[in-house]
Structures are given as C-alpha cells and as structure tokens.
C-alpha cells in the first residue's frame, strides 16, 4: 500500500523535472538565438575603468578583468559551447551508428576487427586523445568539433552494435532474409530504423558531454582563442579574480555550463524511460 501511495508523488516529481528541464532548455535556446543578433559583442573590447565591477542593474553579472559585460559574454560563450556540443554530438553519433551497424550486420572477422579497434581507441583517455587531435590545428571552433567528434563515437558504436545483434535474431529479420532481401536492404530498411531511438538518445546525451569537453580544452588553452568568448575561456581567465575575492567572474560562467547540461540530461532521462518501458516500469515500483 505504501509503495502504491508513492506512485503519484513520483509521477509529480517526474513531471516537474520534465517541465523544469524543458523550460531551461527553451530559455537557453532563445538566449543563444536572439541575443547575439540583437546585441553585438566586441570580443577584443577593453574598458579598464569598469573592470571587475560586482553585479548591478547596469551589469547583472558584473564585469570581467578588462571591463566587459559578463552576462553578454556568458551568452556568447554558451552559444559556442552549444554549437560544439550539437555538431560534435551529431557527428559522433553518425560515426558510431555506422560503425556499430557495420560490425553487427557483417559479423565474423569484420565484427571482431572493428570492435578490437574500438577497444583500442577506448583504452586511451578521451581528454588526452582530444588534446592530441586539437594540438595539430590552430585554435578555433572547427578543431574542437573534430576533436570531440573523433573521440566520442565509441560508446555509440557499442550501443548500436548490441542493439543490432539483438535485432538480428528477431523473426521479421529472418523473414526478410528468407524473402531474398540483401544484407544492405535489411540494414537500411529494418535494422537502422529500429536503432534510431537509441542513436538519438546517444546524440542528446553526447551534447552536454561535448560541452564539458570543449570547456576543458579551452580551460587548458587548447580550444578557442583566449579573446573569444567561451565558457572554458571565461572560467580560465577568472582564476586570478577568484583568488582576489571576486567571485562573479567564475560563478556565472560555471552556472551557464552546469545548468543547461543538467537540463539536457533531465530530458535525456525522460527519453530513456520512454524507449525502455521495462526500466520505466521498474522506476514506478
């Protein structure tokens, strides 16, 4: 009886989580889409007379160490992080889906060779491999996207491969093969559409992970140029201010990174429950 009484409360909590995550995500998208065209930001502007001003009506998030408005720079930085996260996440998902489907559909030695390559790449830490990739190019958004995409497709490949291997034993696949369908047709018409929900979930989960990866590279000085607004750059340049007791140049960029990623993770969790009814029923118990 007690467990039954808890179910409405859990449904209410889940509904609140969905509404909050969707609201934050919508606000973030509106900010990064509408603010930059309306308010232009000079990336190299300097106003030393206004440096490190605390939050006020004129500057709600205060100013940084060279007098630039921190709220505007946070919005521009979030736009860069979202761009890297979305493009790199989609690219990594496409690569992982193609590799995983190829390995599972081919089977035999092709599957073994491909998965050994995946294991080899997985043995190298993502950040270390990303640093190696991005260090070969000049700092910019493009190299960061390439770095993140080439180091984050491995988990998607494993997920898609496991799903395709499970689908290969289903009766409708046997019926298609018995009807004379080629291997390519079976993959294109039956296997790939069946794994698209899992691949889409992987892409959504990849976005916040890629945002953190871009911020880490920029914090280390290997991502975007130091004058360009990105959340990693903002946190990196605020380290000295934090030691001096000025908390706002570090707090607000950190919140701009943490809150949207938590919102995206919340939406991805709801999606996971939708495509996995068994897990959803277990959570309801």
């Amino acid at each position: 009886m007690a467990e039954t009484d808890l179910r409405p409360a859990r449904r209410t909590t889940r509904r609140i989580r969905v509404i909050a995550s969707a609201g934050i995500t919508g606000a973030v998208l509106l900010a990064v889409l509408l603010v930059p065209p309306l308010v232009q930001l000079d990336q190299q502007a300097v106003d030393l007379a206004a440096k490190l001003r605390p939050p006020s009506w004129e500057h709600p998030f205060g100013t940084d160490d060279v007098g630039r408005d921190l709220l505007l720079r946070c919005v521009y930085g979030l736009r860069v992080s979202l761009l890297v996260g979305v493009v790199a996440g989609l690219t990594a998902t496409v690569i992982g889906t193609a590799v995983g489907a190829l390995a599972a559909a081919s089977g035999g030695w092709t599957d073994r060779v491909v998965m050994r390559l995946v294991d080899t790449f997985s043995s190298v830490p993502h950040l270390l491999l990303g640093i190696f990739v991005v260090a070969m190019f000049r700092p910019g958004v493009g190299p960061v996207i390439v770095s993140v995409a080439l180091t984050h497709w491995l988990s998607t490949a494993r997920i898609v491969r496991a799903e395709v291997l499970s689908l290969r034993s289903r009766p409708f696949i046997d019926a298609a093969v018995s009807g004379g369908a080629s291997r390519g047709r079976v993959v294109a018409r039956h296997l790939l559409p069946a794994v698209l929900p899992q691949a889409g979930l992987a892409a959504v989960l990849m976005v916040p992970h890629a945002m953190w990866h871009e911020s880490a590279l920029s914090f280390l000085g290997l991502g975007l140029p130091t004058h360009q607004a990105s959340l990693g750059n903002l946190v990196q340049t605020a380290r000295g201010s934090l030691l001096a007791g000025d908390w706002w140049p570090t707090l607000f960029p950190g919140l701009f990174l943490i809150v949207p990623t938590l919102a995206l993770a919340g939406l991805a969790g709801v999606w996971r429950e939708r495509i996995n009814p068994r897990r959803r029923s277990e959570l309801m118990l």
Side-chain angles (χ1 to χ4, degrees):
M1 179 66 67
E3 290 293 336
T4 304
D5 294 339
L6 288 176
R7 290 181 182 179
R10 290 176 179 174
R11 292 193 186 97
T12 303
T13 302
R14 185 181 299 107
R15 188 178 299 110
I16 293 173
R17 185 184 66 183
V18 172
I19 295 174
S21 298
I24 293 172
T25 303
V28 166
L29 292 176
L30 287 176
V32 299
L33 291 176
L34 297 181
V35 171
L38 296 176
V39 185
Q40 297 299 316
L41 174 66
D42 186 355
Q43 300 280 4
Q44 299 183 356
V46 174
D47 184 8
L48 296 179
K51 71 174 185 177
L52 292 177
R53 288 183 178 178
S56 62
W57 286 109
E58 184 180 2
H59 302 286
F61 285 5
T63 60
D64 63 7
D65 58 345
V66 293
R68 294 170 296 194
D69 184 78
L70 196 57
L71 174 58
L72 191 58
R73 286 183 62 80
C74 284
V75 173
Y76 271 77
L78 181 59
R79 184 181 66 163
V80 172
S81 296
L82 276 177
L83 173 65
V84 173
V86 172
V87 177
L90 290 177
T91 304
T93 302
V94 170
I95 295 174
T97 301
V99 172
L102 173 65
S106 300
W109 65 268
T110 302
D111 184 24
R112 291 191 292 271
V113 170
V114 170
M115 296 315 297
R116 294 298 77 77
L117 289 175
V118 171
D119 293 338
T120 301
F121 280 106
S122 298
S123 64
V124 182
H126 285 174
L127 185 58
L128 181 61
L129 187 58
I131 290 174
F132 174 77
V133 173
V134 79
M136 296 187 296
F137 306 93
R138 296 181 62 182
V141 175
V144 174
I145 292 176
V146 172
S147 171
V148 176
L150 292 181
T151 56
H152 288 75
W153 57 270
L154 305 170
S155 58
T156 304
R158 287 198 177 96
I159 293 172
V160 171
R161 174 181 177 270
E163 191 71 17
V164 172
L165 288 176
S166 174
L167 291 171
R168 284 179 56 182
S169 60
R170 301 289 178 86
F172 70 93
I173 299 296
D174 294 334
V177 174
S178 300
S182 63
R183 179 175 296 178
R185 183 177 179 83
V186 170
V187 172
R189 293 292 301 274
H190 300 287
L191 295 180
L192 283 180
V195 302
L196 282 181
Q198 295 288 349
L201 175 61
V204 174
L205 289 171
M206 197 78 66
V207 172
H209 193 75
M211 291 173 61
W212 280 92
H213 199 88
E214 177 275 325
S215 298
L217 290 174
S218 296
F219 183 83
L220 294 173
L222 298 171
L224 276 67
T226 55
H227 71 273
Q228 187 171 351
S230 76
L231 297 179
N233 280 342
L234 292 177
V235 175
Q236 196 276 337
T237 56
R239 291 185 301 170
S241 303
L242 182 63
L243 294 175
D246 300 322
W247 49 269
W248 57 92
T250 304
L251 174 64
F252 292 115
L255 290 177
F256 264 64
L257 180 61
I258 294 172
V259 174
T261 55
L262 289 178
L264 289 172
L267 292 178
V270 175
W271 190 347
R272 183 189 294 113
E273 295 173 17
R274 291 287 184 182
I275 67 177
N276 192 342
R278 180 178 178 181
R279 175 179 172 83
R280 185 182 181 188
S281 63
E282 291 173 353
L283 292 174
M284 292 292 293
L285 295 177

